[in-house]
Amino acid sequence: MAKTGPIIVLDPGKERTKGTEAIFMNITAAKTVASLVQSTLGPKGMDKMLINKLGVVSMTNDGVTILKDIGIEHPAAKMIVEVSKTLESTAGDGTTSSVIFSAALLDKAEKMIKKGFHPTVIIKGFKIAEEKALEVLNDRATDVKVGTPAGREILKKAAMTSITGKAPDVHKEHLAEVCVKAAEIVEKRGFVNVRSDVLEIVELNRRMEETEVLEGIALSTNSLNKNAPSRIENPKIAVLNAEIEVHKTKAKSKMVVGSPEERNRILENEIQNMLDVAKQIADTGANVIFSTKMVKPVVLEYFDKRGIYVSRPIEEKDAEHVSYATGAKIIKNVREISSEDLGEAKLMEQEVKNGVGKTFIRDAKNSKVATIIVRGETLQHADSVSTCINDALWVVKSIIEDGKVVAGGGASEMEVALALRAYAPTIGGYEQRVVAAYADAIEELPKTIIKNGGLDVIDLTIALRAAHTKDKNAGVNVFTGKVVDMEKEGVIDPLRVKLNTIKSATEASVMILRIDDVLRAKYTREMPDVKPEHMATSYSGKAPPKMDDRR
């Protein structure tokens, strides 16, 4: 019988890690990600200094910002980051808690696997515990009567809770008021569209407490023409994303003129063509023009004589905002504009202070929009304010839409942990050990808040557990170092944030525990094999010159 050679099933150029070794490797990567943001959790969380490739320095304690900018390479670590990003897009807050909780779950799983637990048993136990945790949170949640003075006060307290630790305490009440007011402006039938209806512009060299919210669109621009009216009621708005100029042919060609008079006639004809286009725009009834391109002086003069407001060139994103709010179509071919393409609002006005101009569009026809003017002394300060306002806006949005809140300061997590410990013995089998471990993992969140506050973790954790036998809202005040009623202290979180934190952390840990084999292509710097006849065509299809022919 003839001998056969070795049968190669897997690519020998790949590195393979399998079994518990693969699971432990991925768990270590996830725990490393958590260690990067763990110290930022809580009102006394520390900041991280991030320096990009251009040398620009930024300081933040926002979990999403840190995870986006540090450059994660390990695939399992990337999974943790991606799951946390989904939390940011659905709840707007809780990213850091989600990452820390994921790492805590995986740490407990690692210890159980070393004791002989199969990953499938752990996954089943995690799912059982997740279901019970969500049930406990829903039972312990407090209803909010949105639209009442008491409900508005809860919205403000929740916004302040989100801002605490991200901005100076002296400004958090003012910033919270800005967020609540912005949400009230754009709220429609119990829904708040933060992404589209709340706009933001940044002004530097101003104090942080001067940050304000305005009803309508505010643009960092003013009129290009000197005689434009500063106030227009019921404006007809045209949004242009094209230059007003002579139509050019696609073919490149040159024109030869025989005399100065002929040249002047050509120029006059071009000017007349531009004026015809300007007249076409004016004939639609437009009296306000926003353009992303510069308007030429001859056209500007035509509009100026007719009292038509023409803005300085705006960014395309601002043009999209104006289009969305007013219903105006963005025109890319000015020769096709019609009256149906115009947007409407109740008022357009502009103001110029200290050489800085702004244009306001109020009561737009298509959608109610709010603009937050973020002010800071430096770009770094303004970025910090922008980040905490965005988080607080999502918190307010969640409460308005769901109408439910829970106590913060580690109160809700401790309540879940105690409920899971009481529930675990009723399950039976190996899963009860997993549910108990899940309870220990979720308890890591209040422990981390205590630790970052510089307080005694053991003493306060014991005190917190004892307090929860009487008060479901008991949490840790890291400023006083005492266990108090968080609801009375005004430390409030949206129920949505807590629910999504548990869901995303559990899902991330389950995804990693399911992986028992990792195949990685080896990275090599060696050049691929190239045959000599192929190299001969590397010089514009010709053979390279011989050594004897080179000079």
Side-chain angles (χ1 to χ4, degrees):
M1 185 175 179
K3 292 183 179 180
T4 59
I7 299 174
I8 299 175
V9 177
L10 295 177
D11 184 353
K14 293 186 182 297
E15 295 178 353
R16 185 181 186 187
T17 308
K18 60 180 181 177
T20 57
E21 186 181 352
I23 295 174
F24 293 161
M25 179 185 69
N26 290 333
I27 289 175
T28 301
K31 288 160 67 175
T32 303
V33 172
S35 68
L36 294 171
V37 296
Q38 192 166 15
S39 63
T40 67
L41 185 67
K44 288 193 174 182
M46 305 297 284
D47 290 347
K48 304 292 182 183
M49 180 181 287
L50 306 175
I51 307 170
N52 65 13
K53 294 178 181 179
L54 300 176
V56 178
V57 179
S58 60
M59 290 183 291
T60 181
N61 65 358
D62 182 62
V64 173
T65 304
I66 296 169
L67 295 174
K68 282 180 180 177
D69 294 347
I70 57 178
I72 301 292
E73 290 295 334
H74 195 280
K78 283 183 178 180
M79 289 167 59
I80 294 288
V81 174
E82 290 303 318
V83 171
S84 67
K85 285 181 181 178
T86 61
L87 179 63
E88 176 74 8
S89 64
T90 56
D93 204 1
T95 308
T96 305
S97 299
S98 174
V99 173
I100 294 172
F101 185 31
S102 299
L105 285 173
L106 290 170
D107 181 61
K108 303 300 179 185
E110 182 180 19
K111 293 175 181 177
M112 286 187 286
I113 291 171
K114 289 179 179 178
K115 291 179 180 179
F117 282 68
H118 194 277
T120 303
V121 176
I122 298 173
I123 290 170
K124 182 180 179 182
F126 280 178
K127 288 294 185 180
I128 293 172
E130 177 193 18
E131 186 178 348
K132 182 64 176 178
L134 298 178
E135 180 187 325
V136 171
L137 282 175
N138 280 301
D139 289 343
R140 306 296 193 275
T142 303
D143 292 331
V144 179
K145 294 181 179 180
V146 179
T148 64
R152 192 180 193 280
E153 189 64 26
I154 289 176
L155 292 177
K156 189 173 178 180
K157 288 178 179 178
M160 289 172 63
T161 301
S162 175
I163 293 169
T164 301
K166 299 175 184 176
D169 287 345
V170 294
H171 302 316
K172 67 179 182 181
E173 186 173 354
H174 172 68
L175 296 179
E177 178 64 31
V178 167
C179 295
V180 173
K181 186 176 179 182
E184 289 175 340
I185 291 173
V186 303
E187 186 266 333
K188 299 174 186 174
R189 297 183 296 275
F191 179 75
V192 179
N193 190 342
V194 172
R195 287 192 179 90
S196 300
D197 292 348
V198 181
L199 312 180
E200 184 181 288
I201 61 175
V202 176
E203 289 187 357
L204 304 181
N205 301 318
R206 300 286 294 272
R207 292 196 299 265
M208 194 179 293
E209 60 267 27
E210 294 179 6
T211 297
E212 62 177 327
V213 59
L214 301 172
E215 185 171 352
I217 296 178
L219 301 173
S220 298
T221 185
N222 61 314
S223 62
L224 190 61
N225 44 342
K226 296 180 181 179
N227 298 324
S230 59
R231 179 185 174 91
I232 299 176
E233 294 184 0
N234 299 315
K236 301 292 185 181
I237 301 169
V239 181
L240 309 180
N241 190 18
E243 293 185 9
I244 302 174
E245 59 181 1
V246 179
H247 181 70
K248 296 180 180 179
T249 60
K250 293 183 179 180
K252 293 184 179 180
S253 58
K254 292 183 179 180
M255 181 180 292
V256 180
V257 295
S259 65
E261 292 78 10
E262 186 177 356
R263 176 180 178 276
N264 290 336
R265 283 197 301 272
I266 293 171
L267 292 176
E268 289 174 2
N269 187 47
E270 288 184 352
I271 291 172
Q272 186 58 48
N273 284 339
M274 285 190 289
L275 292 176
D276 289 344
V277 175
K279 181 177 184 302
Q280 182 180 348
I281 295 172
D283 289 345
T284 63
N287 52 10
V288 174
I289 298 173
F290 291 100
S291 177
T292 60
K293 311 292 183 183
M294 180 62 74
V295 178
K296 295 186 177 181
V298 62
V299 178
L300 185 65
E301 183 180 358
Y302 178 90
F303 288 138
D304 207 13
K305 290 179 179 178
R306 286 154 182 78
I308 299 174
Y309 169 97
V310 181
S311 74
R312 296 181 184 277
I314 62 175
E315 297 182 12
E316 288 192 11
K317 66 175 184 179
D318 290 332
E320 291 173 359
H321 291 157
V322 175
S323 171
Y324 170 75
T326 64
K329 293 181 181 178
I330 298 178
I331 306 301
K332 295 185 178 181
N333 186 346
V334 290
R335 294 180 181 274
E336 297 178 356
I337 190 172
S338 66
S339 59
E340 296 178 355
D341 299 326
L342 304 182
E344 297 178 9
K346 287 189 178 180
L347 179 65
M348 190 287 301
E349 57 184 349
Q350 64 169 330
E351 66 176 29
V352 180
K353 290 184 179 179
N354 301 322
V356 179
K358 283 195 194 67
T359 299
F360 305 99
I361 302 174
R362 306 187 191 278
D363 292 328
K365 173 189 175 182
N366 201 43
S367 179
K368 292 189 71 176
V369 175
T371 302
I372 297 177
I373 303 176
V374 177
R375 295 188 170 104
E377 296 178 357
T378 64
L379 182 60
Q380 199 173 76
H381 287 158
D383 285 343
S384 175
V385 174
S386 178
T387 299
C388 65
I389 282 179
N390 182 64
D391 290 348
L393 271 173
W394 275 91
V395 165
V396 174
K397 165 188 168 71
S398 299
I399 298 174
I400 290 176
E401 293 177 357
D402 300 341
K404 290 182 179 294
V405 296
V406 293
S412 57
E413 289 85 358
M414 183 58 74
E415 189 71 11
V416 170
L418 293 176
L420 287 176
R421 287 198 185 95
Y423 175 66
T426 66
I427 299 172
Y430 288 104
E431 285 80 8
Q432 67 176 324
R433 296 277 299 275
V434 180
V435 172
Y438 193 101
D440 292 340
I442 200 169
E443 207 173 78
E444 286 297 318
L445 292 172
K447 285 181 179 178
T448 303
I449 294 174
I450 295 169
K451 180 182 178 182
N452 291 345
L455 304 171
D456 189 292
V457 177
I458 296 175
D459 288 349
L460 274 177
T461 302
I462 294 172
L464 187 57
R465 287 175 186 163
H468 267 267
T469 59
K470 299 178 181 179
D471 184 5
K472 68 173 184 177
N473 295 324
V476 179
N477 185 329
V478 295
F479 299 101
T480 62
K482 296 180 180 180
V483 176
V484 295
D485 189 313
M486 288 286 103
E487 200 169 80
K488 292 180 180 178
E489 291 285 312
V491 181
I492 299 169
D493 289 322
L495 174 64
R496 182 188 297 184
V497 171
K498 298 300 182 182
L499 294 177
N500 287 6
T501 298
I502 287 177
K503 290 177 184 177
S504 62
T506 306
E507 182 63 28
S509 59
V510 166
M511 286 170 61
I512 289 177
L513 289 174
R514 288 186 187 277
I515 301 169
D516 72 340
D517 215 337
V518 178
L519 297 171
R520 182 194 297 270
K522 290 182 180 178
Y523 177 76
T524 177
R525 291 183 179 274
E526 295 178 3
M527 293 293 291
D529 293 335
V530 181
K531 295 182 180 180
E533 57 268 25
H534 293 160
M535 293 183 64
T537 61
S538 60
Y539 289 83
S540 302
K542 299 179 181 179
K546 297 180 180 179
M547 291 297 295
D548 295 341
D549 296 336
R550 294 177 183 171
R551 295 290 185 264

